[in-house]
Amino acid sequence: MPKPRIFVTRRWPAAVEAVFAERFDLTLNRDDVPLAESELRQALADYDAVLPTVSDKLPAAVFAGDVRTKILGNFGVGFNHIDIATARAKGIVVTNTPGVLTDCTADIAMLLLLSVARRGGEGERQLRTGEWKGWCPTHMIGTKVTGKTVGIIGFGRIGKAFAQRCHFGFGMDIVFYNRSQVDPGEAARYGARQLGSVEEVLAASDFVSLHCPGGAENWHLMNAERFAAMKPGAFLINTARGDVVDEMALITALADGTIRGAGLDVYEAEPHVPEALRRMENVVLLPHLGSATEETRTAMGMKVVENVTAFFEGRDLPDRVV
């Protein structure tokens, strides 16, 4: 029996591609550039499985016409870039890669918090451009982190890992909002306590870190009203999904001093980042590095291998979304 035909939309770690090549009839996007909607539609018509990333947009229109694909093995945890309802209607299974990127994403959130609080990005830019005039008592004063309160929106795996770093590494108080109730004893393991609303968390926190899913339910969760509800002088950290933040409202809040700064790893229209954000000194911007370690990206790819292999062998899928 011929091997299932598999299409990978971007280049993945070599070890993962090698396993796919051994098990399946593999086609790679060797140019490693984002595919147009028409190219994704053609892939769905030609291949038994398509393996997209979080940067591939798969709206309803991509699924129009005859579709051969039976499984989308998504490289990433988030899947709001895929029209799940249409995939389901077409009988397509969707999987993701939870669990394996928890620590690295929490590390990036911690990097952003420290960098924006201590003005690390500003300092490096000043030094590299030769503008640093030497040490003095009033130079580039930042914000102390130890002992401050961090508010977490979304207390899943990554939210908990971030809380652990903040509380046990920096002696920070942790408050959080989560849609479902978290057992108080479980929360206490991370030095955290649950509050009843997003607004309560915002009012209490010196730093607010987003760890909630993207998509319609949380679209622009952080808007003008919620920025106004933050403590004066507070900072926003986002390593979740870009559409959780209204970027225009964030720019206004930063410009008028409603909040003091922000650290961002994700954006609404990646790779586009608004010029106003790129010009601001009180913002630390990273190019979606949350899972960008060799160990994590390989583990993510192997998660997809496990899911796709299980699908074509007729076994239960470890990480089925639809």
Side-chain angles (χ1 to χ4, degrees):
M1 190 172 73
K3 294 179 179 180
R5 299 189 70 209
I6 307 292
F7 182 74
V8 180
T9 65
R10 299 297 295 267
R11 297 307 301 269
W12 292 10
V16 180
E17 292 182 350
V19 176
F20 271 119
E22 179 183 345
R23 297 185 186 181
F24 301 102
D25 178 1
L26 177 67
T27 299
L28 299 170
N29 174 7
R30 295 195 178 277
D31 292 335
D32 199 23
V33 295
L35 299 176
E37 186 174 298
S38 60
E39 294 173 303
L40 288 168
R41 185 184 302 112
Q42 191 63 50
L44 292 172
D46 293 343
Y47 292 89
D48 299 300
V50 173
L51 313 184
T53 71
V54 295
S55 63
D56 294 307
K57 307 300 182 187
L58 285 89
V62 168
F63 298 91
D66 294 332
V67 174
R68 173 173 174 171
T69 295
K70 293 293 183 283
I71 179 171
L72 295 172
N74 185 54
F75 188 99
V77 175
F79 48 86
N80 63 311
H81 56 291
I82 301 170
D83 190 311
I84 294 297
T86 304
R88 182 186 292 113
K90 288 283 189 175
I92 301 174
V93 170
V94 180
T95 63
N96 67 344
T97 62
V100 293
L101 69 169
T102 299
D103 285 327
C104 285
T105 304
D107 289 347
I108 283 288
M110 200 73 237
L111 170 64
L112 286 169
L113 187 152
L114 291 169
S115 296
V116 72
R118 297 301 305 274
R119 303 175 67 176
E122 293 178 72
E124 187 186 30
R125 285 189 293 274
Q126 187 179 95
L127 189 146
R128 286 182 180 275
T129 56
E131 295 176 7
W132 184 42
K133 305 305 181 185
W135 187 92
C136 75
T138 58
H139 178 246
M140 206 159 281
I141 303 299
T143 298
K144 185 178 179 180
V145 170
T146 299
K148 296 293 180 66
T149 297
V150 62
I152 297 173
I153 310 299
F155 206 63
R157 292 185 183 96
I158 300 172
K160 290 174 181 175
F162 180 66
Q164 183 180 45
R165 286 155 174 73
C166 291
H167 182 68
F168 294 102
F170 293 88
M172 302 181 82
D173 292 326
I174 313 295
V175 295
F176 68 92
Y177 171 78
N178 197 64
R179 284 179 300 177
S180 58
Q181 185 65 34
V182 177
D183 178 81
E186 170 73 2
R189 290 178 52 200
Y190 302 92
R193 57 190 175 92
Q194 186 167 4
L195 301 182
S197 68
V198 172
E199 285 72 19
E200 288 179 73
V201 171
L202 300 181
S205 303
D206 301 297
F207 299 87
V208 174
S209 190
L210 306 177
H211 298 283
C212 50
E217 187 171 359
N218 289 323
W219 183 79
H220 286 188
L221 178 142
M222 291 303 299
N223 52 29
E225 292 75 17
R226 287 202 162 121
F227 287 123
M230 291 175 66
K231 291 173 66 173
F235 298 84
L236 178 76
I237 309 297
N238 188 18
T239 56
R241 296 305 292 267
D243 60 8
V244 175
V245 175
D246 180 340
E247 288 180 347
M248 294 304 103
L250 172 61
I251 290 166
T252 299
L254 290 164
D256 65 18
T258 301
I259 65 174
R260 184 167 178 179
L264 308 174
D265 189 42
V266 289
Y267 310 91
E268 280 198 85
E270 296 181 14
H272 171 72
V273 178
E275 183 181 356
L277 273 179
R278 290 186 278 114
R279 288 199 310 261
M280 288 179 165
E281 287 289 357
N282 57 338
V283 181
V284 176
L285 305 171
L286 297 179
H288 205 148
L289 297 180
S291 62
T293 65
E294 181 177 354
E295 298 89 342
T296 296
R297 292 280 170 87
T298 299
M300 291 169 70
M302 293 309 297
K303 275 269 191 184
V304 182
V305 169
E306 293 169 12
N307 282 294
V308 173
T309 301
F311 178 82
F312 287 110
E313 291 181 352
R315 297 184 282 108
D316 290 339
L317 277 64
D319 305 298
R320 183 169 181 159
V321 175
V322 175

